[in-house]
Amino acid sequence: MIYFTNSQLKAQYGVSYAAINRWIKTAKEGKNNLMLYEEGGKSRIANTSKNELILKKLVAEGKKYLNSNAHKVINPQEK
């Protein structure tokens, strides 16, 4: 079974490594429906269409908790 690496997930969904590790941890606890792939004692998120839908949902839930520092307003200088 093909799986996502953490760096692929980070680049594709714009999330941190900590968020990815939390998703894996909650999947092991049975709190989300992500399918995991175990390899050499490491857990990875399987690359399935079902997982992609779940990941999009998890990313959307995480986006609503962004603080105001994430939205920086930049104004041009007068020069």
Side-chain angles (χ1 to χ4, degrees), residues 7 53 62:
S7 57
L53 293 173

Side-chain angles (χ1 to χ4, degrees), residues 1-2 5 9 41 49 59:
M1 181 180 288
I2 299 174
T5 62
L9 290 171
S49 58
V59 169

Side-chain angles (χ1 to χ4, degrees), residues 1 3 24 28 36-45:
M1 181 180 288
Y3 56 88
I24 293 172
K28 286 181 179 178
L36 297 179
Y37 176 74
E38 301 286 333
E39 179 184 38
K42 292 185 178 182
S43 298
R44 305 211 187 254
I45 298 174

Side-chain angles (χ1 to χ4, degrees), residues 3-78:
Y3 56 88
F4 290 111
T5 62
N6 290 354
S7 57
Q8 286 175 335
L9 290 171
K10 183 178 187 230
Q12 185 174 355
Y13 295 106
V15 295
S16 67
Y17 289 120
I20 297 167
N21 290 332
R22 256 183 273 127
W23 294 341
I24 293 172
K25 181 181 174 186
T26 56
K28 286 181 179 178
E29 294 171 354
K31 294 181 181 178
N32 63 23
N33 295 330
L34 286 173
M35 291 176 51
L36 297 179
Y37 176 74
E38 301 286 333
E39 179 184 38
K42 292 185 178 182
S43 298
R44 305 211 187 254
I45 298 174
N47 187 357
T48 62
S49 58
K50 179 183 173 186
N51 274 355
E52 289 183 17
L53 293 173
I54 295 170
L55 288 171
K56 287 179 184 178
K57 179 184 163 200
L58 290 171
V59 169
E61 286 176 6
K63 294 275 184 198
K64 67 181 177 182
Y65 295 111
L66 290 177
N67 61 17
S68 61
N69 292 336
H71 303 286
K72 193 176 212 179
V73 177
I74 300 173
N75 295 323
Q77 296 179 353
E78 294 180 8

